[in-house]
Amino acid sequence: MPVITVPEAFNEDELYIDLQWTFGHPIYLKCEGFNFAGSVKLKAATEMVDAAERDGILTAGSVLIESSSGNLGVALSMLAASRGYHFLCVTDPRCNLSTRRAIEALGNEVHVVTEPSATGGFLGARIDHVRALCASDSRYVWLDQYRNPNNWRAHHRRTAPAIATAFPHLDVLFVGAGTTGTLMGCARYFKEWHRPVRVVAVDSVGSVTFGGPAGQRMLPGLGTSVRPPILDESYVDDVILVEEADAVRACHRLARNGFLFGGSTGTVVSGATAWLDQHDAGEVTAVAIAPDLGERYLDTIYHTNWLHDIYGDQVLGPDQQPPEQPDLAQPSATFQGN
């Protein structure tokens, strides 16, 4: 029976879902959302904060600050509350309302950048805002997840070894690309492993991470408008880009089978199935990483009006439409008492 005193001490790292019956491909989905921060970002947040404390950068009176689309913001907010710091998260309108409220509920602050920068989109505007605040007050400590090597080291030390232990005959690993911390940590680890593993990066259409043209992206988590400095493409074997509508459909397909996941997971699963469709996958052992769960997305990718406004009325197939609700104004049956 686990008994903990700080929230970062708990993280379920050994839960996988077999997606064979749902998607027709032999994919095992590694679930990273079962911790008190609700996402894989807890690992990177803990590694970066620990390193900053060891190096004397983060001390009593420091104010943590970070640009985040949501999940790292929640993880850092939880750590700040646990360790006695204040935290300021700089995000943009794509960040889910429930995520912003979670950060605030933990006693921290959120700044929402409302206008994209001319060259770097919302991410560029967020980073500009962080830099301006750091220049204005020496108490701010910016961990900079986009450049911080402890971002990928967390996954080199924890995520990848856990997968290797669970799947000693792993053939292909699918990892979503946001800051590319999870991708780089896992890819570096498996390049050093005792047997070859094909590492496939899954990104969103409209992301510039792998050199594609910038475009509108509404799902937070994956994709960037500024190439992440920690990315080293030499460790990546393949890249597959996923349309957001396909990611949404994958999320709803999972939900119809009882698994509620976020948009990043839908993107990774959609990309993994597309890659396996194109390759001889009959005997491969494949793992995909699910960064978080779906509760924070109920007002977006699981909300009919939001979906229709963004992607059109036909984004979901007939088998994915929400069921019709009964007319609760009329009794469905008549009961007589004794």
Side-chain angles (χ1 to χ4, degrees):
M1 177 181 70
V3 178
I4 63 174
T5 57
V6 292
E8 61 267 30
F10 172 76
N11 185 64
E12 173 53 64
D13 211 26
E14 298 181 358
L15 179 63
Y16 296 81
I17 299 171
D18 185 350
L19 297 184
Q20 174 77 49
W21 301 110
T22 304
F23 289 90
H25 284 296
I27 312 171
Y28 295 95
L29 187 65
K30 187 179 193 305
C31 302
E32 288 282 354
F34 291 98
N35 56 60
F36 285 97
S39 80
V40 71
K41 290 292 189 177
L42 175 60
K43 294 175 181 176
T46 304
E47 195 85 11
M48 291 190 293
V49 169
D50 284 349
E53 289 178 335
R54 286 194 306 269
D55 295 341
I57 298 169
L58 190 58
T59 60
S62 295
V63 178
L64 279 166
I65 186 170
E66 188 57 77
S67 158
S68 171
S69 62
N71 281 336
L72 185 71
V74 174
L76 286 174
S77 193
M78 187 195 80
L79 287 173
S82 173
R83 302 190 186 191
Y85 302 112
H86 188 68
F87 170 61
L88 170 59
C89 180
V90 179
T91 189
D92 61 61
R94 294 170 300 180
C95 179
N96 299 314
L97 178 60
S98 60
T99 299
R100 301 204 300 267
R101 286 177 172 170
I103 294 169
E104 292 167 344
L106 288 163
N108 295 290
E109 189 177 357
V110 179
H111 285 189
V112 180
V113 173
T114 57
E115 296 294 331
S117 75
T119 56
F122 277 116
L123 176 54
R126 282 164 25 197
I127 291 174
D128 289 345
H129 188 71
V130 170
R131 285 178 173 150
L133 289 173
C134 289
S136 71
D137 193 328
S138 62
R139 292 176 300 170
Y140 284 118
V141 174
W142 181 25
L143 298 174
D144 192 358
Q145 62 170 327
Y146 312 102
R147 295 180 180 274
N148 196 322
N150 294 297
N151 184 350
W152 66 259
R153 284 174 184 153
H155 304 287
H156 187 275
R157 187 171 68 86
R158 297 180 60 186
T159 309
I163 295 170
T165 299
F167 296 91
H169 301 290
L170 181 66
D171 295 304
V172 58
L173 177 66
F174 299 97
V175 189
T179 66
T180 69
T182 309
L183 173 65
M184 284 291 95
C186 291
R188 287 172 182 267
Y189 180 91
F190 283 110
K191 288 299 181 186
E192 304 160 359
W193 207 32
H194 67 89
R195 65 187 303 274
V197 173
R198 196 165 192 85
V199 176
V200 180
V202 184
D203 199 11
S204 301
V205 171
S207 168
V208 306
T209 299
F210 294 97
Q216 177 177 275
R217 292 175 293 105
M218 299 303 297
L219 301 182
L222 298 188
T224 64
S225 52
V226 178
R227 180 184 167 91
I230 63 173
L231 172 64
D232 184 342
E233 290 187 59
S234 68
Y235 289 96
V236 179
D237 296 298
D238 286 320
V239 177
I240 189 161
L241 301 180
V242 175
E243 295 279 359
E244 284 194 338
D246 291 330
V248 167
R249 283 188 279 269
C251 285
H252 281 260
R253 192 167 178 181
L254 285 161
R256 290 295 172 265
N257 285 274
F259 298 111
L260 198 65
F261 283 102
S264 296
T265 298
T267 304
V268 172
V269 170
S270 179
T273 56
W275 189 93
L276 291 169
D277 281 340
Q278 298 167 11
H279 295 77
D280 183 9
E283 300 296 327
V284 303
T285 298
V287 170
I289 298 177
D292 62 3
L293 302 177
E295 288 86 350
R296 292 175 185 161
Y297 304 86
L298 296 178
D299 290 334
T300 54
I301 61 175
Y302 295 106
H303 193 287
T304 302
N305 291 344
W306 188 90
L307 286 179
H308 290 179
D309 288 345
I310 301 299
Y311 304 110
D313 293 347
Q314 305 304 315
V315 63
L316 299 179
D319 60 330
Q320 295 179 318
Q321 295 293 337
E324 291 187 9
Q325 298 298 310
D327 183 0
L328 298 181
Q330 299 296 326
S332 57
T334 301
F335 295 94
Q336 293 182 346
N338 292 330

